Amino acid sequence: MIIVKVGGSLGIDYDALCRDIAALYKAGEKLILVHGGSAETNRVAEALGHPPRFITSPSGYTSRFTDRETIEIFEMVYCGKMNKGIVERLQRLGVNAVGLSGLDGRVFEGKHKDSVRSVENGKVKLLRGDHTGTVEKVNTHLIGLLLDNGYLPVLTPPASSYEGVAINVDGDRAAAALATALKAHTLMMLSNVPGLLRDYPNEDSLIPFIPATDVESYMGFAQDRMKKKVLGAAEAVAGGVGRVIFGDARIENPVSAALSGRGTVVA
Ligand code: ADP
């Protein structure tokens, strides 16, 4: 079982990704795709007159402040345009893909965090009305039904809270929770960089290998959103996933390239 998480950053080639996934799927590989949609969400949010608001937690993680209007825009883009765009590409390539958000069948479930701490001008503020959370439970039964009957699941945030409220969750950590729940041998996180860079943004500074026992000590190389990927990788390998690969989604055959060891391998 391979879990492929593809981001939503600029430069990602979804056509090349879907061609590669279709070829692997037809060769008998069991695959699940998890995707993001951050860049397109920012664009649509601006166009709708509700620009994104990013906050930095006291521990240095960046996230999107998600009020009710933002989660609705988020759903339009993630569950609508991005999810259906990927499903359509796969259908054209002869793969019976099924697109689901974490809300559908509670594929991804977790606790709703209504307030969040944000550092602004050196001061910590408490912001209320946030629709965010972290995936704690995965509906492996529903995923199993799809996989056992020849469908390729295409999954996306938001998740469902325990009360059934849509919550924005980090896609990388959702994919890590899914890979852990399904005991996947490989989790890959594809984005618009070659992998984890020692000296970001210098693409010649790729870190090729990170020992599973020592992921935490590489955290320092990751800035802003890359931190969540490294955190997700640490959670996945600690949870029994065989290996995590950070790979490039701007190239032809991105999944096959990562499978052959291109990128940053955590094992
Ligand atoms: P996606 O939405 O594609 O999952 P993110 O934007 O969440 O991707 O995270 C990937 C981004 O992290 C890269 O585009 C890059 O700008 C940033 N980044 C920060 N530090 C690093 C690093 N050390 N190596 C690679 N990318 C990094």
Side-chain angles (χ1 to χ4, degrees):
M1 170 70 65
I2 303 173
I3 312 295
V4 178
K5 157 68 182 28
V6 65
S9 297
L10 293 174
I12 290 173
D13 186 343
Y14 294 99
D15 291 320
L17 173 81
C18 289
R19 279 195 296 273
D20 197 15
I21 286 188
L24 290 164
Y25 175 82
K26 288 177 186 173
E29 198 70 68
K30 280 216 164 182
L31 285 157
I32 300 177
L33 183 58
V34 180
H35 68 84
S38 53
E40 186 61 12
T41 300
N42 295 346
R43 196 187 66 73
V44 173
E46 294 276 1
L48 292 176
H50 194 72
R53 179 173 177 192
F54 289 99
I55 53 172
T56 304
S57 73
S59 46
Y61 289 98
T62 309
S63 64
R64 185 188 295 274
F65 182 70
T66 311
D67 59 12
R68 186 68 209 175
E69 206 173 336
T70 300
I71 197 112
E72 288 173 5
I73 297 168
F74 183 99
E75 286 171 341
M76 285 180 215
V77 176
Y78 279 70
C79 315
K81 185 173 181 183
M82 299 302 293
N83 191 267
K84 296 318 145 196
I86 291 172
V87 169
E88 184 188 10
R89 284 180 180 87
L90 290 170
Q91 289 291 351
R92 283 193 189 179
L93 293 162
V95 176
N96 208 351
V98 172
L100 294 173
S101 80
L103 268 173
D104 298 287
R106 295 185 185 243
V107 165
F108 294 133
E109 209 175 3
K111 205 185 283 162
H112 178 183
K113 218 167 136 246
D114 174 71
S115 59
V116 65
R117 288 193 301 152
S118 164
V119 183
E120 285 169 34
N121 303 322
K123 286 194 188 135
V124 181
K125 277 191 178 173
L126 190 71
L127 303 176
R128 295 193 189 279
D130 201 16
H131 287 73
T132 57
T134 306
V135 174
E136 294 170 342
K137 264 176 83 180
V138 175
N139 186 345
T140 53
H141 175 72
L142 177 54
I143 299 297
L145 286 178
L146 293 172
L147 291 174
D148 293 346
N149 290 282
Y151 298 100
L152 190 153
V154 180
L155 308 178
T156 183
S160 174
S161 75
Y162 294 114
E163 296 79 26
V165 174
I167 49 172
N168 180 3
V169 292
D170 178 66
D172 296 319
R173 294 179 70 195
L178 177 71
T180 305
L182 295 174
K183 300 180 177 51
H185 64 76
T186 302
L187 163 65
M188 60 179 74
M189 299 191 186
L190 306 179
S191 184
N192 63 350
V193 279
L196 182 65
L197 304 173
R198 188 173 286 276
D199 177 25
Y200 174 76
N202 175 5
E203 297 202 1
D204 294 330
S205 68
L206 178 75
I207 298 169
F209 183 76
I210 298 176
T213 47
D214 199 21
V215 187
E216 302 295 333
S217 61
Y218 285 79
M219 195 62 114
F221 297 115
Q223 290 154 36
D224 55 78
R225 305 208 321 222
M226 197 69 195
K227 285 184 184 208
K228 291 261 176 75
K229 290 190 201 299
V230 179
L231 187 66
E235 287 168 352
V237 289
V241 173
R243 61 178 174 167
V244 180
I245 307 167
F246 301 127
D248 201 334
R250 299 168 301 181
I251 59 172
E252 207 48 53
N253 301 316
V255 178
S256 306
L259 282 176
S260 69
R262 187 165 160 178
T264 302
V265 178
V266 184

